[in-house]
Amino acid sequence: MATQRMLVAMLTLTVALWGGPLWSAEKDPGASIKIAPETVADYVHAVIEADRIFYTLHVVERMQAHGVAAASENWRVSHTLPLPAQFLKESGELAAITGARIQYRLIGLWPINPQNAATSDFEKKGLEEVRAHPERPYTGVLTLGGNKYFQAVYADRAFAQACIGCHNAHPRSTKQDFKINDVMGGVLISFPLE
């Protein structure tokens, strides 16, 4: 349900970004309302964060506290819950296949999963910037394959014990002293401007 809600919100925002009418202005039925890419990214990030926080606090931590189910890295094989980072990864992959042309994923300076490492200078710079200034995203417009993309990196903070417990204890973690509210990495959001 949360993933469906997130996909509907992202599709609506993508239509708005492309300049399609979200609703008609009362005085000019032919007018459309356009939304700045920074605002679209903020909306998408808000939905991603809300769903992830809810999943972490009200599913993973609650189920583990009551001994109902555990979350683990190998959740598909062990029939456990996905870790919150895997929840975001899986929902990002689902969003990408909807045709909405929006992508999002976790990136980190100290990733446990090598797939979450920064892959471009923009991502590396974005991670450094949100680490220094977590209250604001690092944004830019990049040209890839002749197309322009808006990209934003938002600080990914340790908001629950589940976050820091996993990272501080994981044998592949290169940083094991996270505390609540520390910046652990970033959420990268990318969508086309054309």
Side-chain angles (χ1 to χ4, degrees):
M1 184 63 151
T3 301
Q4 289 173 336
R5 186 169 33 99
M6 185 169 33
L7 290 175
V8 169
M10 287 188 300
L11 289 171
T12 301
L13 292 171
T14 302
V15 169
L17 175 70
W18 288 334
L22 276 180
W23 58 82
S24 296
E26 205 170 297
K27 297 193 184 228
D28 184 1
S32 64
I33 297 173
K34 303 205 188 231
I35 301 174
E38 294 84 0
T39 302
V40 172
D42 286 346
Y43 290 163
V44 170
H45 179 253
V47 172
I48 292 167
E49 283 300 289
D51 287 344
R52 186 165 171 227
I53 290 169
F54 183 89
Y55 175 74
T56 302
L57 298 177
H58 299 291
V59 176
V60 173
E61 287 193 346
R62 182 182 288 181
M63 298 293 241
Q64 289 183 156
H66 294 335
V68 175
S72 69
E73 267 183 289
N74 61 348
W75 61 276
R76 283 192 170 99
V77 175
S78 62
H79 305 290
T80 57
L81 297 171
L83 294 170
Q86 293 167 319
F87 174 82
L88 189 143
K89 179 182 182 294
E90 294 292 324
S91 65
E93 289 174 1
L94 284 171
I97 63 172
T98 65
R101 298 178 18 181
I102 188 161
Q103 296 180 346
Y104 59 89
R105 68 184 182 92
L106 287 172
I107 56 175
L109 294 169
W110 314 279
I112 291 173
N113 182 341
Q115 293 177 333
N116 294 343
T119 60
S120 69
D121 289 339
F122 175 86
E123 292 177 16
K124 291 173 190 163
K125 175 79 171 156
L127 286 169
E128 291 296 340
E129 286 294 318
V130 299
R131 185 173 176 214
H133 306 284
E135 68 283 354
R136 63 177 185 249
Y138 178 77
T139 64
V141 176
L142 286 79
T143 302
L144 304 168
N147 297 315
K148 290 187 178 196
Y149 291 84
F150 182 82
Q151 291 192 329
V153 177
Y154 291 82
D156 184 39
R157 294 178 185 257
F159 61 87
Q161 185 58 42
C163 305
I164 61 175
C166 180
H167 280 260
N168 288 347
H170 200 285
R172 287 194 315 260
S173 182
T174 58
K175 181 170 169 51
Q176 298 181 328
D177 61 349
F178 287 109
K179 298 178 296 305
I180 292 292
N181 211 31
D182 281 355
V183 175
M184 300 181 85
V187 177
L188 172 68
I189 297 171
S190 177
F191 49 83
L193 290 175
E194 300 164 353

